[in-house]
Amino acid sequence: MSLVTLLNLSKHFKSTAAVQDVNLDIRSGEFFSILGPSGCGKTTLLRMIAGFEQPTTGAIFINGSDVTQLPPQERGIGMVFQNYELFPHMTVGETGAFGLETQRLPKGEIRSRVERILDAVKLVHKIDVPVPRLSGGEQQRVAVARAIVVEPAVLLFDEPLSNLDVSLRVKTREEIRALQRRTGITTIYVTHDQAEAMSLSDRIGVIRAGQLVQVGTPEEMYEMPQSAFVAEFLGGANVLQGQVALQEFAFVVGEFRIAVPPTTISGLKNGDAALAVKPEAIALSPTVHRGEYEGRIFHREYLGFITNFVVHVQGVDLHVSTMSSAMTKETREGAVVGLSFDWSRCLLMQR
Ligand code: ATP
């Protein structure tokens, strides 16, 4: 069942179309991420759902009711912001109780609900500590507790981990996911970090220049991108801009003529096209075999399990990612290698 529905939602700031005609159903209990590069309209979309921003056109439904005209406090949402926006003069316990006190609940009930939620975010032992004395990660967990304690229908996150260092970010995102699973609260999570979106989400919606370009599970988005943009943004794909030459069964990028299997090229026309090739869809061999392209290793990056390369091939730089092996160990910068493409993992599209 759909819990949040966005219908033809747009937001214009003077000449800027920040969000353009977004239609989306978010299911009950789902963890849904809105993913896109800086300035694509993610925050504006989330702020419209929260009620902090009024849409230029379109409507928002939560639990079947049209909330487009309702103020934030009447929408049944909880929100966690990038900079937490906690009150500096309050303790952890007072922060957790704030939303419940405005609902005028009995003191005993407030106390037990606050303790329960602080227990869930592993902060019950800090209940009497002033918020400014907590670490960044702990403050973030207080912000999550404050948003969840009022039992909202929908929990909204706006880049909540961007102020944390890398290791804490990974740990905190695991905690957020576990908490969401336990509580089952429908969650909408804005991020520009594809790894964060992939690891947390049931489904992801990718936004580009205000438009929702693709929605799907992390696997669908990664394995079956419908555009070079999604392939590049989610899969780190090499995107080559060139031309289709049908009579040669080739894709041409400057000097580099790439032979393309008939199944990949069928349905395309001669002319401008883009080829998206994931770094792991290119195989390297230590000598150039028949049917392979000759390349030269420009850069090698050993990351333990994986080794990444940048390979020069006829004027084109290709990023290649492969499992570390005896071969990758011996393949140093400057070495000549053979390259071949796994066409089942490439996307060739007209531009
Ligand atoms: P980031 O990841 O950098 O936060 P974003 O994807 O969340 O970016 P938004 O903050 O939604 O993007 O901004 C989308 C576009 O709308 C941008 O071009 C931005 O400059 C513009 N914009 C956002 N808020 C306003 C505003 N209040 N007034 C005018 N323009 C705005």
Side-chain angles (χ1 to χ4, degrees), residues 31-328:
F31 197 116
F32 191 96
S33 287
I34 297 170
L35 174 68
S38 182
C40 71
K42 308 179 293 290
T43 297
T44 304
L45 186 58
L46 199 73
R47 287 173 58 81
M48 284 196 283
I49 299 170
F52 297 125
E53 207 74 75
Q54 193 58 30
T56 308
T57 59
I60 301 160
F61 294 82
I62 297 179
N63 247 335
S65 304
D66 185 344
V67 300
T68 320
Q69 304 302 328
L70 292 184
Q73 65 275 17
E74 289 175 28
R75 293 190 179 200
I77 51 121
M79 184 137 175
V80 180
F81 300 91
Q82 184 172 345
N83 50 5
Y84 319 139
E85 301 197 5
L86 297 168
F87 304 118
H89 56 281
M90 285 190 183
T91 64
V92 171
E94 286 163 355
T95 307
F98 183 74
L100 298 174
E101 276 162 1
T102 59
Q103 291 180 4
R104 298 174 195 279
L105 295 177
K107 278 208 156 36
E109 186 183 338
I110 292 179
R111 180 89 194 168
S112 69
R113 274 173 68 174
V114 169
E115 281 177 1
R116 219 174 327 133
I117 200 69
L118 290 180
D119 190 39
V121 297
K122 304 189 192 81
L123 278 175
V124 79
H125 60 293
K126 301 247 167 156
I127 194 163
D128 294 320
V129 175
V131 165
R133 280 209 225 131
L134 301 179
S135 72
E138 288 168 340
Q139 290 195 19
Q140 206 278 343
R141 274 146 56 201
V142 174
V144 173
R146 178 181 65 178
I148 290 186
V149 75
V150 293
E151 298 176 356
V154 191
L155 192 56
L156 307 177
F157 285 94
D158 189 5
E159 308 239 11
L161 307 182
S162 36
N163 290 346
L164 304 179
D165 66 48
V166 177
S167 64
L168 199 53
R169 218 181 294 162
V170 171
K171 190 164 161 280
T172 312
R173 88 180 178 211
E174 284 165 7
E175 286 169 0
I176 288 176
R177 184 58 175 142
L179 195 63
Q180 194 272 341
R181 281 255 161 81
R182 255 201 336 270
T183 56
I185 300 181
T186 307
T187 298
I188 308 177
Y189 188 100
V190 158
T191 180
H192 65 268
D193 181 329
Q194 56 92 15
E196 212 167 281
M198 299 271 281
S199 71
L200 283 166
S201 317
D202 296 311
R203 287 192 304 156
I204 298 170
V206 169
I207 302 230
R208 180 191 196 187
Q211 291 176 322
L212 191 61
V213 292
Q214 191 176 344
V215 176
T217 65
E219 287 84 355
E220 285 165 352
M221 304 298 276
Y222 190 82
E223 300 294 336
M224 291 175 285
Q226 286 163 8
S227 59
F229 176 77
V230 172
E232 187 176 16
F233 198 70
L234 254 116
N238 297 281
V239 176
L240 310 181
Q241 309 288 349
Q243 286 80 37
V244 166
L246 277 180
Q247 57 289 5
E248 294 175 54
F249 286 100
F251 177 70
V252 182
V253 191
E255 302 289 293
F256 190 17
R257 303 183 92 75
I258 306 170
V260 182
T263 47
T264 303
I265 213 163
S266 77
L268 295 179
K269 296 192 300 247
N270 276 328
D272 289 349
L275 175 66
V277 189
K278 295 212 181 79
E280 69 275 21
I282 303 173
L284 297 184
S285 48
T287 47
V288 187
H289 301 101
R290 240 181 105 113
E292 291 182 347
Y293 301 96
E294 182 179 314
R296 188 177 288 277
I297 304 291
F298 174 68
H299 182 67
R300 177 181 178 277
E301 180 187 55
Y302 171 71
L303 295 177
F305 185 62
I306 295 282
T307 303
N308 293 325
F309 296 96
V310 178
V311 188
H312 280 328
V313 195
Q314 298 178 41
V316 173
D317 280 346
L318 290 173
H319 289 262
V320 179
S321 187
T322 181
M323 244 158 60
S324 299
S325 64
M327 182 257 160
T328 61

